Amino acid sequence: MLYLDNAATTPVRRDVLEAMWPYLTAEFGNPSSHHTVGERAASALADARRTVADWWGVRASEVVFTSGGTEADNLAVKGIVLARQPRGAHIVSTRIEHEAVLESLHYLERFHDAHVTYVDTDETGLVTPEALAAMLRDDTTLVSIMLANNEIGTVQDVASLAQVAHGVGAAFHTDAVQAAGWLDLNVASLGVDALSVSGHKLGAPKGIGAAYVRARVGVEPVLHGGGQERSWRSGTENVAGAVGMAAAVRAAENERVSASARVTAVRDRFIAEVLRQVPGALLTGHPTRRLPTIASFCFPGTSGEAVLLELEQRGVVSSSGSACAAGSDEPSHVLTAIGIDPAIAQTAVRFSLASTTTDENMADVATALAASVATVSGLGSA
Ligand code: PLP
C-alpha cells in the first residue's frame, strides 16, 4: 500500500517514540510536583519548549503546548481577541481556513458580538496584500490567515500580509499546521504575532501541538484550571508528547531544506504526468507557491469519492481533501471559496507526499490514477 495522505496524519517516527518512552515509563512525573520525580519531568518539558522556541526563534516563555493544532488555533484566535477586545471585535480572515479557525470565528461572532470580514483569495487560493488592506479597519483586532492550505497547498506571503495588518495595529495569527517541517517558521521572518502547529503532521503522535503567542500580545486562556503553561493553558502537561514533538521538530528541521527540494521535484513530475495522462485533469491551488507535499486535482466527469475507492483497490491511499470533510456530501469549502463550481469540487482528489516518497512511487500512482479516472468517468455527478 502506498500512503499518500500525509496531510491528514503521519506515522510516529521511531526516534520520536524512543525519545518519548522514558517519559511514559520511569520518568512519569508531573512537572508541577516539587520533588525530584516531578523536577525531572519539568526539566524535560523545559528542554522540549526550548527546542520549539529555537525552531521559531522566539522566547521559551512564548511557547504554549496544546493538545494539537485545533486547540492551538482556538487559543490563538479566541485568546487574542478576548484578551484585546472581549466584545465587538473586528477580525479579518479567509474562507479557506481550517475549521479550527473558522469555527473559532463563528464562536466569537455568536457569543462575543465579533464581526468577521472574509478577504477573497484569487483562483489559486492566494490573498494579496492589497485585498487584505481593503478589508482592514482602524479597529481591526486580529487577522488570521493560514501559511499553507491543507487542501490545495497554496502558500501565502504571510510576511507581507502581516505587515499590512500591523499597519492598522491588528495582531496577526497564522495556522502553520501544514507548513511545519516543510517551510521556514522563523517568526521574525514571518512577522507574525501568533502561530499554531500540530505534532501528528510531522512524525509526533496525535494529541500534542503548540502555539506561539507574542508576549506583549498575550492571550485570554481557553482552558481554565491549575495555571500551567503560564496560565495560558491549564491542564497537566503532556510531557512525553512535548518531548516527542521536540524530537520530531529536530528531525524535520535537520532535513527540511533538502527534503523540501527533493519532494517538490517529485511532486512536480507527478503533476506533469497526471496532466499528461488524465484527460480533463485540473490542478487546484497555486502552480508554484504551494507546499512541496501537496498535489491536488479535480477530475470533471467523475466523483472524487469513487476515484478514491478505485485508487485504494489499486493500492493507493489518498483523500478527497481535508480529513475533517472526508465522507461528507458537501463540496469542499476551500475549493468553492476559490471559485470552483460545487459540482467540480465534488471530483477533488488530494495526494499528500512524505519525505520518503519517490518518483517510482508517483509514476505508479499516475498510472493507477489514469486507470481509476477512466473507470469512474461518466458515473460521477459532474
Ligand atoms: N489546521 C490545519 C491547516 C490542518 O490541516 C489541521 C488538521 O488537519 C488542523 C489545523 C487541526 O490540527 P489537529 O488535527 O492537530 O487538531
Side-chain angles (χ1 to χ4, degrees):
M1 184 201 71
L2 191 52
Y3 179 79
L4 290 171
D5 200 11
N6 291 281
T9 197
T10 60
V12 177
R13 295 172 56 106
R14 175 170 283 275
D15 50 350
V16 166
L17 201 53
E18 281 166 5
M20 293 173 66
W21 182 249
Y23 299 97
L24 293 164
T25 51
E27 302 294 349
F28 58 85
N30 182 328
S32 300
S33 298
H34 294 288
H35 46 57
T36 49
V37 182
E39 279 163 10
R40 284 199 299 273
S43 158
L45 186 65
D47 288 348
R49 194 184 308 281
R50 169 53 48 209
T51 299
V52 174
D54 289 348
W55 178 28
W56 297 336
V58 303
R59 285 184 245 159
S61 57
E62 295 172 309
V63 174
V64 190
F65 284 114
T66 67
S67 63
T70 298
E71 191 193 325
D73 279 340
N74 272 258
L75 178 66
V77 171
K78 295 178 188 167
I80 290 177
V81 169
L82 296 183
R84 297 188 117 203
Q85 197 182 344
R87 301 225 75 82
H90 179 241
I91 307 165
V92 178
S93 188
T94 77
R95 293 191 192 280
I96 67 167
E97 301 300 311
H98 189 270
E99 286 81 353
V101 167
L102 293 176
E103 291 303 320
S104 294
L105 296 173
H106 291 157
Y107 164 84
L108 290 170
E109 287 185 308
R110 274 209 311 280
F111 296 108
H112 294 272
D113 302 325
H115 177 65
V116 184
T117 306
Y118 295 92
V119 53
D120 283 338
T121 71
D122 68 13
E123 70 287 354
T124 69
L126 264 191
V127 178
T128 63
E130 296 72 30
L132 174 60
M135 297 299 143
L136 293 173
R137 304 192 326 211
D138 288 344
D139 65 342
T140 304
T141 300
L142 176 72
V143 175
S144 179
I145 299 181
M146 68 204 316
L147 181 49
N149 183 268
N150 46 310
E151 294 191 32
I152 56 176
T154 298
V155 175
Q156 306 292 343
D157 179 2
V158 158
S160 301
L161 298 173
Q163 201 178 5
V164 172
H166 289 153
V168 296
F172 194 99
H173 162 251
T174 196
D175 174 335
V177 166
Q178 293 292 340
W182 296 102
L183 304 181
D184 182 9
L185 295 193
N186 182 275
V187 159
S189 316
L190 293 172
V192 299
D193 305 295
L195 172 153
S196 356
V197 300
S198 174
H200 73 100
K201 310 289 185 181
L202 72 160
K206 295 159 192 66
I208 184 74
Y212 158 69
V213 180
R214 193 182 291 283
R216 73 178 146 72
V217 171
V219 283
E220 186 62 29
V222 171
L223 293 183
H224 303 92
Q228 290 88 344
E229 301 291 294
R230 301 177 70 225
S231 289
W232 283 353
R233 196 274 184 187
S234 286
T236 302
E237 300 90 337
N238 178 356
V239 179
V243 167
M245 177 139 170
V249 165
R250 279 193 295 272
E253 281 301 295
N254 272 341
E255 60 162 26
R256 181 171 60 78
V257 174
S258 59
S260 289
R262 189 175 62 245
V263 177
T264 298
V266 172
R267 179 207 67 194
D268 283 348
R269 284 187 285 269
F270 172 66
I271 289 174
E273 207 40 43
V274 171
L275 297 178
R276 193 179 69 77
Q277 283 194 40
V278 185
L282 303 170
L283 179 70
T284 57
H286 197 280
T288 53
R289 286 193 65 94
R290 61 191 297 136
L291 273 182
T293 45
I294 293 197
S296 51
F297 306 90
C298 285
F299 301 107
T302 70
S303 130
E305 290 297 329
V307 172
L308 292 180
L309 287 175
E310 286 291 326
L311 277 170
E312 189 149 8
Q313 285 187 5
R314 292 172 171 83
V316 178
V317 174
S318 55
S319 141
S320 57
S322 84
C324 313
S328 117
D329 288 338
E330 292 295 308
S332 143
H333 72 275
V334 173
L335 297 180
T336 50
I338 64 171
I340 294 180
D341 184 272
I344 304 287
Q346 301 272 27
T347 74
V349 178
R350 173 192 71 182
F351 300 93
S352 44
L353 285 63
S355 60
T356 48
T357 310
T358 63
D359 276 325
E360 293 69 40
N361 295 150
M362 296 316 284
D364 292 346
V365 176
T367 307
L369 179 62
S372 300
V373 171
T375 306
V376 172
S377 280
L379 304 177
S381 53

